[in-house]
Amino acid sequence: NGGLKELMQTLQSYIQTTGRRITLEWALIEGENDTPETAHELGKLIHQWLRKDMIHVNVIPLNPTGGYGGSPSGRNRVNVFCQILEQQYKVAF
C-alpha cells in the first residue's frame, strides 16, 4: 500500500521539520472503515510511523450527503473504534 506509506513518511517528516502536532480526520462509515480491524490497522500505522504525542485523531461519524449511499456509524461502533485506538495504541482524541 504505497499511498499509505508515502503519507506516513510525509507526516513523519512534517512533524520532524516543524515540531507541530498533526490532526487526522477520520469519518466513520458504517461497515466500511469503522471496524475493530480498521482501528487496529490505523493504530499500528500511527505506532510504527509517528510519535503518539504529536498526533491527534478526530473521529466523527460520516455526515450523510446526497449521492453517496454510505451511512454514519452508530454510537457503539464509534465508541469501540475510539477505545481500541486510545487503550491499545495510546492515540489522543
Side-chain angles (χ1 to χ4, degrees), residues 9 23 38:
Q9 289 172 332
T23 297
T38 302

Side-chain angles (χ1 to χ4, degrees), residues 34 38 46 54 74 76:
D34 65 347
T38 302
I46 291 170
M54 297 300 286
N76 185 52

Side-chain angles (χ1 to χ4, degrees), residues 7-54:
L7 172 63
M8 299 310 281
Q9 289 172 332
T10 301
L11 294 175
Q12 186 181 58
S13 176
Y14 176 84
I15 291 170
Q16 290 171 347
T17 302
T18 67
R20 297 184 71 177
R21 189 175 190 196
I22 293 174
T23 297
L24 297 177
E25 302 286 335
W26 194 269
L28 289 172
I29 304 168
E30 180 83 33
E32 295 291 325
N33 69 347
D34 65 347
T35 64
E37 293 79 18
T38 302
H40 285 289
E41 288 176 27
L42 179 58
K44 288 175 186 174
L45 277 172
I46 291 170
H47 179 77
Q48 179 182 356
W49 288 96
L50 306 171
R51 286 180 36 200
K52 290 182 286 292
D53 63 327
M54 297 300 286

Side-chain angles (χ1 to χ4, degrees), residues 28 30 34 61 72-83:
L28 289 172
E30 180 83 33
D34 65 347
S73 299
R75 183 177 302 265
N76 185 52
R77 290 179 82 98
V78 173
N79 290 341
V80 169
F81 193 92
C82 291
Q83 285 174 352

